[in-house]
Amino acid sequence: MTATESTDVLVIGSGFGGAIAAYHLAAGGARVKVFERGPWLKADDFEHDFKLGASYTRVFDFVIGDGMSVLGGNCVGGGSVVYFATMPRAPRFVFERHGSIGRRMWPAAISRDALEPWYDRVAEALPVTQQTWDRVPYAGGLFAAACHHAGRTANPAPSAIDVDMCTNCNWMMAGCRFDAKRSLLLNYLPAALAHGAEIRPLHEVQHLARNDDGSYRVHYRVVDEEDYRILHGEGTIDAKIVVIAAGAGATPVILQRSEPHLGRMPHAVGRYFSGNGERLNTAVFDEDRVREVLKLSRPDGRAYEAYQIGRGPTVASWDRLDGALPEFERYSLEQLYFPPALGTILAQVPDASPSWFGRGKKEMLRRWQSWLTIFTMSEDDNEGVFGPPPETGNAHRFSQQMLGHGPLRYRPTANTRRGWSLADADVKDILERDGLSRVMPWTNDLVGAYTVHPLASCRIGDDPATSALDDRHELRGHPGIFVTDGSAVPGALTVNPASTIAALAERAMPGIVRAAQDRGVAVTYGAPSPDGETAGRRAVAHLRS
Amino acid sequence: MESDEAAEHRMRTMVLEAFADTIIPGEKRGPDDAAIAGVDVGGGAVAGGAIDLLEDPAGGIAPALETICVELDEYAREHAAATGLDLDPDLPPFVGLPFEARTALIEKLTSPDHPDKQMWVGLALFCNMAFDSAPHMHTVDALASGHPGLLAMGYESPEPDGLWRFPTFSYGRQLADPHPSTTSTGSPA
């Protein structure tokens, strides 16, 4: 039995919520440790390789639930390492949503205007940049042209990618080999390390218990670096403040497992999960029609055939992000790339039975370079509920890496299905016009719905009955425990959520610093941007109190 | 003389191949090939390496393969009886089913209300992956050796250092009008 260590602040998870907390608290003078259950890889480790055991399967988790499967990061840097780095801010109406609880879901203190300076801090830190049409890859251009042809608008979406360094290899889900993607490995995390924070990879927190002095004892296991099904030693560490940012698929599971030790959890822990209303459609384009109707042509003469080229999503259509439309009928449509396997098995063949396998599917795969995947982000109904936690982690791991079965149950309500159905019809209208393509939504019959943006499973709010955290992100009834990841976001955002998750984490920092001070930690708030820039700090200076 | 164990393994492999061939069909390897139905030209999931992938310990499905094959044969027997099909006694029952019957059975096993759906979907997922991403091989090696799935999909080859780069990637011009309410940060309003 090893002795229990101690620290001022323990951060669980090293994605946006964890990295931002680790940086501000360490820069402010606190002793900070970050436990991350995944491995710690850097640019040279990120391989262009689908082989099981390559970085692609080491840094990713695909957890199959009952009616909902969740894709998420599993490495130091979390989602920022595996995501597509698309960073729009959430539209104004999102903050006014009621969902199905009969009142505003977001805390009164938070609106788009109130969050802008925190968005600015994130944009400065990563940084986030606007993209230009001359650098939009073919797939984004094709979507834009199809939108224009259908009388719609389309925008190059803001992004945390240094386009000058990007090779458009589309391997960014395996981690960026070229450090073009501005993941947390390049800003908040190295800055946190420079201020003395310690990051421990392959440390999976299992549960928390409360000490007599009001601090917390955190119990963890060490994960095998190759076969994540194997757990090695266990240990404990005491912390005055615990920041949980394990991701919306894992944070509530840790808290549920802690309930026998900590006492009753707020009702909303493990409830109100949102898959960000996500839905996918795959179109197969007719190359001749692309040339004739859209007048598109590559320098080598091909019209398109470029699904493989690019950097994930680059162009989005925001015509339905209209606050005047009824709730559950607003969504964005975004061009997307998904690599083979994760991005192919659920795609359906138009007018074929069976629709997802067999001869028709093989024929569809032969035209893979003419595919275009369209990603819908809509307003779902927060219908996800986590069942009893597995013995360890957040899933029964099936493969040595990546694949597991988790306790999340999701049954889309009529509201959610209405949004999906409107979006499917819209995608069909845009992409099938004048014979450009044939399009079908992905099947939900195999692994349920599918999200890469899990949210809201431990959310902020003003109503204790429907939110697990107060508007400072503190867990109700458990002072000193804060949650700053996607699980804190109250509901679907209709756009990619990373920017909002990070802005909320930035906004929560002054309050967490104050809580640490109240617990006797010598820490102050006021660090500049990780690279030393100070415009963002100046802009929020008056918001701290 | 083939041992009982070897014969059993051969039969098991045939069942898995017949399943994989139903997910992504390919051409027969020879006139006596019973596992592959031969309904399509070029290699399918079997030629893609489905058996290697299923038996890869990293995948997690290998320990269940014996059970899977026993159950698949049992379902095949029931399906044949229910639909009046005669099965060749020298072949495992699932292999004895014609392609259309294999397809119908897999549709039933993977339907949302089937109690073991998760297992059958998992098996199908691995067969699909063998064809479209070859995760039992390094991708560079798969392309160099002419992997049938990646080749059929037109998956581009990497540069000599084994990394993909696309220096020419854009139509290079504005192809739509941005949303009129776009804010100064490039976000929706």
Side-chain angles (χ1 to χ4, degrees), chain A residues 48-50 52 89 112 130 136-138 153-155 167-169 303 308 340 344-345 358 362 366 369 399-400 445-446, chain B residues 23 25 40-41 43 58-59 117 125 132 135 138-139 154 156 164 166 168-171 177 179 182 184 186-189:
Chain A
H48 290 184
D49 198 350
F50 292 126
L52 298 179
R89 303 179 185 200
R112 167 73 179 262
Q130 296 196 47
V136 164
Y138 297 120
T153 69
N155 287 52
T167 66
N168 290 287
C169 69
Q308 188 182 343
T344 49
I345 187 159
K362 187 179 179 188
R366 285 190 178 108
Q369 290 285 13
S399 300
Q400 72 172 19
D445 288 345
L446 302 183
Chain B
I23 300 302
D40 203 89
V41 294
K117 179 194 106 169
L125 190 140
D132 74 13
H138 289 295
T139 306
E156 301 270 3
W164 275 258
F166 296 103
T168 307
F169 61 89
S170 178
Y171 293 116
D177 298 321
H179 194 283
T182 307
S184 60
S187 284

Side-chain angles (χ1 to χ4, degrees), chain B residues 70-158:
Chain B
V70 169
E71 289 195 23
L72 200 50
D73 277 338
E74 189 54 40
Y75 279 116
R77 252 182 237 109
E78 283 173 20
H79 186 84
T83 54
L85 286 169
D86 288 327
L87 291 171
D88 182 339
D90 293 334
L91 293 173
F94 186 76
V95 179
L97 294 178
F99 184 78
E100 288 68 24
R102 295 177 186 179
T103 301
L105 179 52
I106 291 176
E107 280 194 285
K108 196 156 71 181
L109 297 177
T110 54
S111 66
D113 51 358
H114 194 279
D116 296 323
K117 179 194 106 169
Q118 217 166 49
M119 181 174 80
W120 303 113
V121 167
L123 188 67
L125 190 140
F126 275 84
C127 295
N128 191 85
M129 282 161 60
F131 184 78
D132 74 13
S133 56
H136 54 297
M137 302 175 77
H138 289 295
T139 306
V140 170
D141 297 342
L143 282 164
S145 63
H147 183 272
L150 293 175
L151 253 55
M153 290 162 68
Y155 199 83
E156 301 270 3
S157 288

